[in-house]
Amino acid sequence: MNDTTGTLTDTLFLYDRSGRRYASTDRRWRGEDGSPLALSPVPGPAPDRIDTSERSLWRYQSAIPVSPRHRVSLGEGFTPMPPLDWDGRRVHFKLEWFNPTSSFKDRGVTVMISHLRGQGEARVLEDSSGNGGSSVAAYAAAAGMDAKIIVPAATSAAKILQARAYGARIELVAGTREEVSDEAIRQSEQTFYASHNWHPYFLQGTKTIAYEMWESLGFRAPDNVVLVAGAGSNVLGCDIGFGELLEGGRIDRLPRLLVGQPEHWAAIADTVNGIDPRSRGPRVPTIAEGASIAAPVRLPEAVEAIRRSGGAAVAVTEDRIHLAVRKLASRGLYAEPTSGVAAAALDHFLADGTIGPGETTVVVLTGAGLKSAEAMATVFDDGAPDGRSRT
């Protein structure tokens, strides 16, 4: 069914914010109006269409609009979701560092690179603060493509090393994350821009996290999904995935999307809450580097996704992020500080009653602490004589 010559992909199209349509096979990464592209609705998976012999996100091949012939997979997805005690509440944690490059980005990149492989691309360009670049480098290597990754000069050395190890060419750019993106867009005139923030097929991979929650919970939707947002791709992936399941009658309601962002990098949360982000003053660097996105490409779409779900968003302080990382570790979860934002948001939404007793809640932890050794050291090296945290 899901071959590029089959009925599914034949009916799909891309569209931009102006409503202009493009063929789903069009070799473009943004619309003529300069806005990001989205893919027309895809039917979600039915329980009897799940390939249970496939222990990856490709078990949902029937709902992924890429030909199996072009698949580039390293076994991504199908990550654990253990329930743990969190201050007396039973909360599920979706451990996305079990993906091949230790980040949730592999979900979107496997589908994006598979799509580009089908289009015959041999060289790709990406800009990233770390995890996205490592993932594109890995899947480009698996696909036999050349990759160039443009990264902020302040990016974690471990993440840069990982991308370089896969054979990608690395270009460091001084300045803000937005300046790095601007440089990538300038270079996209020579090399195809495989941006995880811009390319519509990336979201066709991130949506599978919603399918997995649904399947893991006995084909039910959780009441709440707690997420950290930088560019908001997990927010949008959950919106697409659960939206497909709702449209197909597989669930009877959308889970609430409850989102956290670092307080000085909270464009999505501030917009949801009617706050002018400029009112926070000059931006302050955050330990959650993966969420330090000042101007998310899909800001209106992310805000609408949160509101459509009946969800909420909060900006969290650096102290709360540090505390949350320690709290996760005390439960055996060594999550990078960016993931700590989600745990800090969980504490907030429990404290203010947004998450009620008895509700099913899933918290998405996007990446491993091992990839952010320098940042993790600042969290745990507090001068305690026995080397342990005081909190």
Side-chain angles (χ1 to χ4, degrees):
M1 174 181 175
N2 223 26
D3 200 320
T4 52
T5 59
T7 58
L8 176 59
T9 53
D10 285 349
T11 63
L12 297 179
F13 58 88
L14 300 170
Y15 62 96
D16 60 27
R17 284 184 185 144
S18 73
R20 180 170 178 172
R21 294 186 179 189
Y22 311 86
S24 62
T25 54
D26 198 328
R27 294 190 176 189
R28 64 172 59 244
W29 54 270
R30 63 180 171 184
E32 291 294 336
D33 62 353
S35 70
L37 295 167
L39 190 68
S40 56
V42 174
D48 62 359
R49 295 299 306 277
I50 298 172
D51 181 359
T52 56
S53 67
E54 175 67 67
R55 298 188 63 80
S56 78
L57 62 80
W58 293 96
R59 66 199 284 111
Y60 310 111
Q61 175 73 73
S62 65
I64 298 175
V66 173
S67 167
R69 297 196 312 271
H70 303 136
R71 183 191 302 181
V72 181
S73 176
L74 296 170
E76 55 291 318
F78 208 54
T79 56
M81 197 175 79
L84 299 175
D85 176 80
W86 192 269
D87 296 341
R89 301 286 187 95
R90 185 174 185 265
V91 176
H92 295 265
F93 290 87
K94 188 69 167 156
L95 308 184
E96 288 294 276
W97 58 71
F98 279 87
N99 282 298
T101 74
S102 301
S103 160
F104 84 95
K105 296 287 175 56
D106 294 348
R107 290 184 182 273
V109 172
T110 182
V111 175
M112 178 178 70
I113 292 294
S114 295
H115 171 72
L116 295 178
R117 184 189 203 184
Q119 291 190 314
E121 298 293 345
R123 299 168 59 229
V124 293
L125 173 71
E126 160 75 312
D127 63 294
S128 169
S129 61
N131 283 328
S134 299
S135 185
V136 169
Y139 284 83
M145 297 178 182
D146 290 331
K148 181 177 183 180
I149 314 297
I150 302 176
V151 301
T155 297
S156 162
K159 292 177 181 177
I160 293 174
L161 173 61
Q162 185 182 16
R164 183 176 286 122
Y166 296 128
R169 290 175 293 127
I170 308 298
E171 180 176 336
L172 302 179
V173 173
T176 66
R177 181 66 180 83
E178 285 61 48
E179 289 171 318
V180 173
S181 179
D182 290 344
E183 175 59 21
I185 291 173
R186 185 187 68 78
Q187 293 189 26
S188 70
E189 296 178 6
Q190 288 77 44
T191 306
F192 187 87
Y193 189 29
S195 168
H196 67 278
N197 290 328
W198 281 93
H199 202 284
Y201 276 79
F202 182 84
L203 297 177
Q204 291 298 308
T206 59
K207 73 179 184 181
T208 61
I209 198 170
Y211 300 163
E212 289 180 19
M213 293 180 203
W214 165 70
E215 184 181 357
S216 296
L217 293 172
F219 301 108
R220 295 182 299 108
D223 296 297
N224 312 294
V225 179
V226 183
L227 302 154
V228 56
S233 56
N234 262 333
V235 174
L236 295 166
C238 284
D239 180 55
I240 294 169
F242 284 117
E244 291 174 358
L245 293 170
L246 181 65
E247 180 65 23
R250 310 300 176 192
I251 57 176
D252 58 9
R253 54 169 173 73
L254 295 172
R256 292 184 298 174
L257 303 181
L258 305 177
V259 175
Q261 292 192 285
E263 66 173 333
H264 290 283
W265 304 87
I268 294 172
D270 285 347
T271 304
V272 167
N273 295 320
I275 298 171
D276 183 350
R278 294 171 297 182
S279 67
R280 295 187 182 276
R283 296 193 184 277
V284 176
T286 174
I287 194 172
E289 64 179 8
S292 56
I293 306 293
V297 168
R298 300 179 187 268
L299 174 61
E301 290 82 4
V303 170
E304 178 56 30
I306 295 167
R307 290 175 173 164
R308 179 166 37 247
S309 75
V314 63
V316 297
T317 66
E318 291 298 296
D319 286 347
R320 291 292 179 182
I321 298 170
H322 281 240
L323 180 62
V325 172
R326 292 179 173 189
K327 195 170 176 180
L328 287 166
S330 74
R331 287 156 176 79
L333 301 176
Y334 195 62
E336 68 178 357
T338 299
S339 294
V341 177
L346 172 65
D347 281 337
H348 172 87
F349 291 120
L350 286 170
D352 74 0
T354 298
I355 299 175
E359 294 182 348
T360 300
T361 299
V362 178
V363 181
V364 177
L365 300 181
T366 51
L370 293 173
K371 298 185 72 174
S372 301
E374 303 98 325
M376 295 298 281
T378 68
V379 173
F380 291 97
D381 184 12
D382 64 354
D386 59 0
R388 294 180 297 175
S389 165
R390 292 194 179 97
T391 57

